[in-house]
Amino acid sequence: MSVFFYGCVTLDGYLADKNHGLDWLHETGGAGETGYEDFYRQMDITIMGRRTFREIEKLENPETVYPTTVNYVVTHDKTLDRKGFLPVRGDVAELVRGFPGEKNIWIIGGNTILAPLLEADLVDSMTVQIAPVLLGEGIPLFTQGEPLRRFRLEEVRRYGQFAELVYGRK
């Protein structure tokens, strides 16, 4: 099993604006300008939180966003009922440890899902794209409570206006 974080932040480190919106990202460029498609083809499972899922729900056909992966939404919401997304409860680290075999798991979204996995030392790779945007406030990638973890820089890429940093477990 390998656990990947792949996401885009602003220059000041935010994943989303203070209302969890992503307009800043959509106005900067699209996934076609990045290595997203190559990355996604390697994934077997996605895991996201409810707030990230709410942004996906706003799209025209949310069930087509991640068509080739098994998609989990960590939530206490018992009403989540969307084709292609499976609600799960409990500790995200235990969920990840429970997956059998050689699965590639993509952690989508923010710090409430990522932080427990960093705490449990389960994150193998982090691909962080940086957009040329300053929000000033918003939802940060990290909680600022994560334990010390060291990664090694494996690649630096440029996709249009985006810089992409790929880090592996040290």
Side-chain angles (χ1 to χ4, degrees), residues 21-134:
L22 297 174
D23 288 346
W24 65 269
L25 177 59
H26 302 302
E27 293 167 2
T28 305
E33 297 178 44
T34 68
Y36 169 79
E37 289 181 21
D38 291 335
F39 173 82
Y40 180 70
R41 276 194 283 275
Q42 300 173 48
M43 296 299 112
D44 302 299
I45 295 168
T46 70
I47 301 174
M48 67 194 77
R50 178 69 172 145
R51 288 184 179 134
T52 300
F53 177 71
R54 283 186 186 141
E55 290 303 310
I56 293 168
E57 274 187 311
K58 293 177 184 176
L59 301 173
E60 189 172 325
N61 294 308
E63 62 278 355
T64 65
V65 175
Y66 306 118
T68 62
T69 49
V70 179
N71 307 299
Y72 293 91
V73 179
V74 180
T75 182
H76 295 288
D77 184 353
K78 295 178 183 179
T79 64
L80 189 142
D81 184 25
R82 174 68 72 169
K83 182 180 177 184
F85 295 89
L86 303 168
V88 292
R89 297 176 77 153
D91 184 298
V92 69
E94 290 303 314
L95 173 67
V96 167
R97 286 186 188 111
F99 289 123
E102 293 298 315
K103 300 292 184 186
N104 285 333
I105 302 164
W106 175 19
I107 304 308
I108 302 173
N111 56 41
T112 58
I113 301 298
L114 185 58
L117 296 171
L118 288 167
E119 176 76 32
D121 200 23
L122 291 173
V123 178
D124 298 297
S125 177
M126 295 186 66
T127 300
V128 180
Q129 294 169 347
I130 302 169
V133 176
L134 292 171

Side-chain angles (χ1 to χ4, degrees), residues 139-151:
I139 309 304
L141 174 56
F142 300 107
T143 64
Q144 305 304 308
E146 290 83 4
L148 175 65
R149 294 285 181 250
R150 296 199 183 272
F151 290 85

